[in-house]
Structure formats: structure tokens, C-alpha cells
Amino acid sequence: MTYCAAIRLKEGMIFASDTRTNAGVDHISTFRKLYQYGVEGERFMVLQTAGSLATSQAVFNKLQSDINLRAEGSLNTVSSLFDGAQMVGECMRNIMANAQRVANDNNSRTFTSSFLLGGQIKGQPPELYMIYPEGNCIRATRDTPFFQLGESKYGKPILDRSVRYDTNVNHAAQALMLSFDSTLHSNLSVGMPIDFVIYENDSLMLPKGRRIEEDDEYFKTISRQWSAALRNTLIELPECPGNYWG
């Protein structure tokens, strides 16, 4: 299992993915699930994934190979983010179909992956897409500014309550970190390090990003303060009326 999320805001975009993969309690590994693509000053893209590690890595490798070979159709040449999402979907479908054929396995869920693709191409607005295993996609809107993949249920309430399209980027980044903190506390199949990227809209820069390790002091600080704030708020809630419970 994994957890990754991306947020499209008025001022910028935020992307975060954990790195844990496991095939049972005795086989836990770390693999990158967030990759950047682009050309400085011309385009910026981030691709994230959840699902079959083999399928995801095959998609990443094929997309990067097309870029390296300067193929006519690649993420560095598509005319729009939507075309990029379509390209990722088609690539995934082809890889899944080939894996099923080689393995003689009719269960398509064995090789299933999903992706998030976000970024900006010069002269166009920033966009964020969720790409389903079937290859189709949906776009984030002002009403729905974030998408999640994988083990999303523990962190979703924090984002639902705190993130809007016009939320400050730094505040949204803190909310996303707390969303991961909540997930890490509730599900052992999601684990650190966390790959984190923040992009300023219209900058067309390729941000370095940050890998948040277990000993990251800032992450530990906001985790402690968030836990303390929740406990204090619970104590400060008004007492139930005497006959409330019947």
C-alpha cells in the first residue's frame, strides 16, 4: 500500500508521496513513487503513483526512455497536460495488457496502478489529473483542488477541513504533512521517507523538492504540536448537558 496526494492551489501546487512498498510483513522496501519531468522555463510536471510496483516502474521507465530518445511523443513534447495524462494512461494500458499476456493472468487487478499528473506548460494554466487504471482521467477543479491515491482515508479529513483553492501554499503544505502524519500513525503499510515538491504557479522552474526522513525535526515538531492541540481542544469542548445521553 502507499499514500500520495497532490494539491492544485491559486498560488501553487504541492505533491507528496511516501516510499514504502511491502509484500508481507517480512518484506518491506523503499521505492520512489514521485518523479519530476520538464524543461526549465518551458514546462514542469510531476507524476505520482500507487498500485503495482512493477507496472508503475515500467510506466516511469517507458516515459523517461521516450524523453531520453527525444521521441516525437513524450512528456517533454505534449502540447497540454491533458495530452500528457492521455499518454500516461495509454502507456499504462499497454504495459498492463502485455503483463497479463505474458503471465497468462486474466485478473487485471494483479497489475493495476493509478497515477497523478500535475504541472504546467508555458502559456497554459496549472493542471492536475488523476489517471485511473482503465486509462481515463479526471481534472482537479476549484471545488475539488486535491487528489489522493492509495491509503487515503486517514489523511482525507484533514485536507477536507483545511484546504481550499485559495488556501495559502505554506498552510496547505502543513495540512498535507499532517495528513501524512495521521496516515503514518494509523497504517503501517505507509512509511517514510516522504518525497515532497512545491511548485510556484507560472514560475516554470523545476523545484529541487525535499525528502522528509524519519528524523526530520520540523515534521516531528508539527506532529507533536498537532497531537497536543487535538488533546487540548478535546478537553476544552463544552460538557454534555446532564440529560444528553438519556
Side-chain angles (χ1 to χ4, degrees):
M1 186 55 72
T2 189
Y3 177 42
C4 63
I7 308 174
R8 171 183 168 265
L9 302 165
K10 182 178 180 180
E11 299 176 350
M13 306 184 78
I14 310 170
F15 308 87
S17 295
D18 88 314
T19 54
R20 175 167 293 183
T21 61
N22 64 300
V25 294
D26 59 345
H27 190 185
I28 297 175
S29 304
T30 297
F31 285 92
R32 189 173 184 87
K33 305 170 191 174
L34 181 156
Y35 288 85
Q36 286 193 57
Y37 304 90
V39 178
E40 195 89 11
E42 197 272 323
R43 64 182 59 208
F44 158 79
M45 296 183 196
V46 166
L47 186 63
Q48 302 166 263
T49 187
S52 166
L53 179 62
T55 297
S56 298
Q57 287 195 334
V59 171
F60 286 134
N61 290 338
K62 178 63 167 64
L63 295 172
Q64 187 61 54
S65 175
D66 288 344
I67 291 174
N68 295 341
L69 295 173
R70 299 182 182 276
E72 183 176 343
S74 75
L75 290 180
N76 278 359
T77 62
V78 291
S79 58
S80 69
L81 258 293
F82 175 74
D83 289 339
Q86 294 288 95
M87 177 180 293
V88 173
E90 181 179 1
C91 179
M92 175 174 53
R93 285 198 307 270
N94 292 339
I95 288 170
M96 289 173 58
N98 184 62
Q100 284 180 259
R101 184 167 56 252
V102 171
N104 193 26
D105 186 345
N106 293 323
N107 182 10
S108 60
R109 298 186 63 181
T110 304
F111 309 100
T112 293
S113 287
S114 301
F115 290 85
L116 299 178
L117 177 69
Q120 184 175 23
I121 295 176
K122 188 175 182 178
Q124 301 177 26
E127 291 185 304
L128 172 63
Y129 289 90
M130 177 184 286
I131 306 164
Y132 294 101
E134 294 78 13
N136 56 330
C137 63
I138 59 173
R139 181 172 63 89
T141 66
R142 293 193 177 199
D143 294 329
T144 307
F146 68 86
F147 287 140
Q148 300 169 284
L149 293 179
E151 191 57 88
S152 61
K153 59 181 176 290
Y154 301 107
K156 189 174 187 296
I158 294 175
L159 299 181
D160 282 337
R161 289 176 177 267
S162 61
V163 175
R164 301 291 182 269
Y165 176 71
D166 58 357
T167 299
N168 175 275
V169 172
N170 289 329
H171 292 164
Q174 291 171 325
L176 186 52
M177 292 177 78
L178 292 172
S179 174
F180 271 84
D181 178 64
S182 175
T183 305
L184 292 168
H185 274 79
S186 300
N187 193 310
L188 293 177
S189 69
V190 176
M192 299 181 94
I194 301 168
D195 290 319
F196 219 92
V197 173
I198 297 179
Y199 169 74
E200 180 183 351
N201 288 347
D202 300 321
S203 68
L204 296 173
M205 303 290 288
L206 306 183
K208 181 180 179 180
R210 182 180 185 88
R211 172 159 282 196
I212 301 175
E213 304 282 357
E214 289 190 25
D215 60 352
D216 188 275
E217 195 57 42
Y218 180 67
F219 188 89
K220 291 194 295 184
T221 296
I222 66 170
S223 174
R224 289 193 298 266
Q225 290 190 7
W226 177 251
S227 295
L230 287 177
R231 288 192 295 269
N232 292 336
T233 299
L234 183 61
I235 294 171
E236 294 169 1
L237 290 175
E239 291 290 339
C240 298
N243 62 348
Y244 184 80
W245 300 110

